Structures are given as C-alpha cells and as structure tokens.
Amino acid sequence: MKRRVSIFGSTGSIGQNTVDLINRNPDDYDVIALTGASNIQQLARDAIRLCADVAITADVSRLDDLRTALDGSGIDSEAGSSAINEAGHRPTDWVMSAIVGAAGLTPGLHALQQGATVALANKESLVCAGELILQTAKQNGAQLLPVDSEHSGVFQALAGEDISTVDRIIITASGGAFRDWPLEKLAHATLAQASSHPNWDMGQRITIDSASMFNKAMEIIETKEYFGISANKIEVLVHPESLIHALVGFNDGALIAHVGPTDMRHAIGYALHWPKRQPLPVERLDFARIGTFSFRAPDEKRWPALRLAREVMERGGLAGTVFNAAKEVALNGFVSGDISFINMAEIVDKVLNSVAVDHIDAPMTLDNIMYVDQISRNAAINEIKQRAG
Ligand code: NDP
Ligand code: MG
C-alpha cells in the first residue's frame, strides 16, 4: 500500500532533500500536501512531478501565481498560514515538518493530533513548545522522529538501549563561519560572511544560527525535550569536520558515536524508512582519506547563545517560547541590517530577562504559547528599535 505523505516547507533545503528521496521511489508514496512560501515555481514543479493533491503557499499575495503555475494539472492550490495549518489535518501517514521558525509549530501539531508519524526538522517546535508537542504525540499514538542530524544520531545510538543507563549525550558543532575568527572582529561580521557554512549546505537562517551557535543552543534544548534527559547530562563539543554528529555515553563508560556524511538525506531517509533501514544515495565515508577527527571545547565568550540555552532550561516553563521568539526577531534584525551580529545574543538575553514571571510560568497551552511568543517578539522589536535609534 502507498504511504500518504506531506512535506511542510517542501521548497526549503530540508524540503528539497525530502522531495529528492520521495521522487526516487514515487510509486511508494501518495503525496498529499506540499507547502512553501515565496518559491512558487519550485512548489508547483514539485507538486506536478509528485502528483500532490494540493500545493499551498504561506503568502496569500502569491496565490494567483501558484494557480497559474499549476494550470491544467488538476492540483488544488491554497494560500495563507491558516491553509498550511489546516494541511496538518489532512489524513496522512508521514509528515516532514520542515517549515523554518515558529510558523512550523501548528501544522506539525495538527499532524500529531491525527496520529501521523512526524519527521521533525522544525526544531523551533520543540524549543518553544516541547511539552505540548510530546504530550500531543503521546495522547494520539503519533510517532515523532528527529531529523536534526545530531538528534537522529542520538536516536540511532539509543536503538535497543535503556535511556536510564545514559550518563551523557554529546552533540557536536562545526563552529560555523566564525569558529576561528578573532573575537573582536565578530561585531563587524557581515550578513554574507555569516551566511556561509564550512560544511553543510542549509537554509540561510540556520546557517547564520550556526555561526552564532543559536542553532546549537536550540539543539541542546531539543535534546533535553526529545530524549527527556536532564540538562546537566548534555554536552556540546566543537568538531570542525562535522562527521561525528553525536555521541551517547552509557553508565559502563561506553560511548556510541553516530558518524556519517554531511548530507541531510541520511537523517531524512532514516526518518522516512524507520524502523527499517533502506539504501540511501549518500557518500560512503573513507576514513583513511579523512585521516583525523579534531575536537575542542566550545567557548561561551564567542558563543553566548550556549549560556542562554542553559538559562532557558533552568528556567523551564515558557522560557523556550521567549527564547525562540526573541531569537527569530533578532535574526530578522541582523538579516535586514538593523543590528550587528553580536547584538543578536544581547537582545535575546535582554528579552529573556524582561518577560514577566507569570507569563513564563503559565501552563503550556497553544494559546499561551502564541501569546508569550507575541509579547516576546514585541519586546525584541523594541530592543532593536532602541539600538537602531
Ligand atoms: P529553508 O529556509 O531552506 O526552508 C524553509 C521552508 O519554510 C521553505 O519551504 C519556505 O518557503 C518555508 N517558509 C518560510 N517561511 C514560512 C512561513 N512563514 N510559513 C510557512 N512556510 C514558510 O530552511 P531549512 O530547510 O534549512 O530548515 C527548515 C527547518 O529544518 C528549520 O527549522 C531548521 O532549523 C531545520 N533544520 C534544517 C537543517 C538543514 O540542513 N537545512 C538541518 C537540521 C534542521 P519558501 O522557500 O518557498 O519561501
Ligand atoms: Mg543540527
């Protein structure tokens, strides 16, 4: 029987890698919904070649373009964030959640509510609503599978193991674009410099988050939420080659490492075929040629985001919602040239310490998350204005 699949964020970097894998065995899948935002031509092309039921753009002003691009194909077209959220309710067996940012939360949540298997690339969901996501999956018998390479690595290392025997989880970080820069140069880092990654080919936002380590900060929180492990058992290790993605340390001193090429089709494919393994079109590593793996401790002066992640985990409640919202706005500010690279962490720090305790301690419902997300965004916008003014 064909598996019904949807790809939320199909036009992005993770989305395109997912399309690539599905398109290699199109007869195995019945594609339900593809979603994008600005890249209408790609969205329409993929919807046509994968024979999707519907293509949805987040951008209402692009609906006519999408209709034109799909003309004669018989594929439905829709637009707007509510249409994307609704796509989560369409009966589906497997969903790739790969929208960037908090916009990915609701459609993923809806897919879990219908008991679908959700391959979660959208780490922001776990950062801003971890407890809600996990509870929703549990209540509806839905399977949540990690797609982030580190978390997929941990998940694979844990197969058949008892989580209570885990002493430590180490996630690696390439160090991003500014790993070796003198600290005093960081204040002058440009958008183009922050947007180039030494090892991975990813969307622009996550690439900048890698340079600032906000990506790793989110991944520490993601690790805590997904694996239900205490924060003090999670470590970050800078590993410039990015070939070891994660290590799991057990109570008998053994470490199981996940090693693989820097190709997201491995983690996506693992989640697509789980619980089986299937051949994937990724490079087979040649260790004799690679020669050396190197490691170093992360420097919290260079990457203050790592300290902020620890604070968020200590604080608990909706602190992750505040952190994620402030980070998204600060990143927008850097991308649009309103603030400098190092201002991003300063702004997130400021907002984390300015949101009222009552809001952070509110129960984790979708309404409260949306509210706290909005007030945190407003606070971050004000911080940016103050700096710009
Ligand atoms: P991209 O920026 O490449 O793609 C983002 C996708 O989301 C695109 O389809 C984009 O549409 C769509 N989109 C953007 N804004 C909105 C919105 N407001 N509403 C609905 N859809 C929107 O990102 P990546 O693929 O790099 O990352 C996707 C997610 O996966 C992120 O959460 C990221 O952290 C995570 N991730 C990514 C990895 C990678 O290797 N890229 C690795 C691990 C995790 P369009 O392009 O048409 O505008
Ligand atoms: Mg990652």
Side-chain angles (χ1 to χ4, degrees):
M1 222 175 68
K2 288 189 176 198
R3 275 173 100 196
R4 296 166 302 175
V5 302
S6 286
I7 308 173
F8 300 155
S10 69
T11 50
S13 165
I14 292 285
Q16 285 295 290
N17 279 314
T18 311
V19 166
D20 175 75
L21 291 180
I22 302 254
N23 196 39
R24 285 166 192 263
N25 297 297
D27 295 343
D28 293 350
Y29 304 102
D30 180 5
V31 177
I32 307 296
L34 298 184
T35 83
S38 58
N39 197 343
I40 301 299
Q41 295 312 319
Q42 189 67 51
L43 179 60
R45 243 191 330 269
D46 291 335
I48 291 168
R49 75 181 162 141
L50 295 179
C51 302
D53 290 355
V54 62
I56 310 170
T57 166
D59 185 349
V60 182
S61 72
R62 310 295 302 274
L63 181 58
D64 283 345
D65 296 343
L66 182 59
R67 279 205 183 116
T68 308
L70 290 171
D71 196 24
S73 68
I75 295 167
D76 286 341
S77 48
E78 294 181 3
S81 54
S82 55
I84 291 187
N85 292 344
E86 283 305 306
H89 288 309
R90 288 179 182 248
T92 315
D93 301 307
W94 186 91
V95 168
M96 167 53 75
S97 170
I99 288 172
V100 65
L105 172 62
T106 306
L109 209 52
H110 288 168
L112 291 171
Q113 282 165 354
Q114 56 149 308
T117 294
V118 174
L120 191 71
N122 177 259
K123 63 190 86 186
E124 296 88 345
S125 295
L126 280 179
V127 174
C128 73
E131 190 189 313
L132 180 66
I133 291 276
L134 294 172
Q135 246 174 29
T136 306
K138 197 166 169 194
Q139 280 165 0
N140 296 284
Q143 181 70 44
L144 191 65
L145 295 170
V147 172
D148 223 337
S149 56
E150 298 78 1
H151 305 76
S152 174
V154 172
F155 187 74
Q156 294 180 50
L158 281 173
E161 303 288 351
D162 175 355
I163 187 82
S164 71
T165 64
V166 172
D167 268 357
R168 55 205 288 229
I169 292 181
I170 305 171
I171 56 174
T172 62
S174 69
F178 305 140
R179 182 179 63 214
D180 300 314
W181 274 38
L183 283 183
E184 59 280 8
K185 260 184 78 182
L186 288 180
H188 308 291
T190 65
L191 179 60
Q193 288 164 332
S195 303
S196 100
H197 197 283
N199 304 331
W200 293 91
D201 178 15
M202 308 186 286
Q204 187 190 37
R205 296 181 73 86
I206 186 175
T207 303
I208 300 168
D209 283 348
S210 296
S212 63
M213 284 264 191
F214 266 111
N215 181 48
K216 210 51 56 181
M218 290 199 286
E219 289 181 0
I220 303 174
I221 302 170
E222 189 185 1
T223 304
K224 176 176 179 287
E225 297 296 337
Y226 189 88
F227 299 104
I229 191 163
S230 59
N232 61 4
K233 290 186 173 176
I234 306 168
E235 300 168 33
V236 171
L237 181 67
V238 176
H239 167 47
E241 294 84 5
S242 292
L243 295 173
I244 300 179
H245 303 130
L247 301 105
V248 179
F250 295 90
N251 58 9
D252 58 358
L255 283 160
I256 298 186
H258 182 274
V259 188
T262 51
D263 184 334
M264 284 308 294
R265 289 178 305 175
H266 168 71
I268 297 167
Y270 186 79
L272 181 61
H273 300 302
W274 181 88
K276 294 187 183 149
R277 284 190 190 271
Q278 295 276 341
L280 292 171
V282 301
E283 181 196 351
R284 271 48 179 171
L285 294 179
D286 175 350
F287 286 94
R289 190 180 55 77
I290 294 163
T292 317
F293 281 167
S294 56
F295 306 100
R296 59 178 105 152
D299 170 2
E300 293 198 358
K301 268 210 204 90
R302 180 178 300 275
W303 296 301
L306 297 177
R307 173 181 56 78
L308 296 175
R310 300 275 170 202
E311 284 179 23
V312 166
M313 291 187 293
E314 249 166 55
R315 188 65 190 78
L318 296 185
T321 311
V322 178
F323 175 81
N324 182 67
K327 194 281 295 179
E328 285 191 25
V329 172
L331 179 56
N332 293 345
F334 175 64
V335 170
S336 59
D338 293 333
I339 57 170
S340 77
F341 183 76
I342 58 170
N343 285 157
M344 287 192 286
E346 293 165 5
I347 286 171
V348 175
D349 195 355
K350 247 334 212 339
V351 175
L352 262 177
N353 287 299
S354 72
V355 173
V357 172
D358 288 359
H359 294 321
I360 292 183
D361 289 338
M364 192 178 273
T365 61
L366 190 55
D367 283 348
N368 287 343
I369 289 167
M370 294 302 181
Y371 177 72
V372 171
D373 177 274
Q374 196 53 56
I375 57 171
S376 308
R377 281 173 200 270
N378 295 343
I381 289 167
N382 282 335
E383 284 295 328
I384 291 178
K385 276 191 191 143
Q386 278 177 24
R387 278 170 173 76

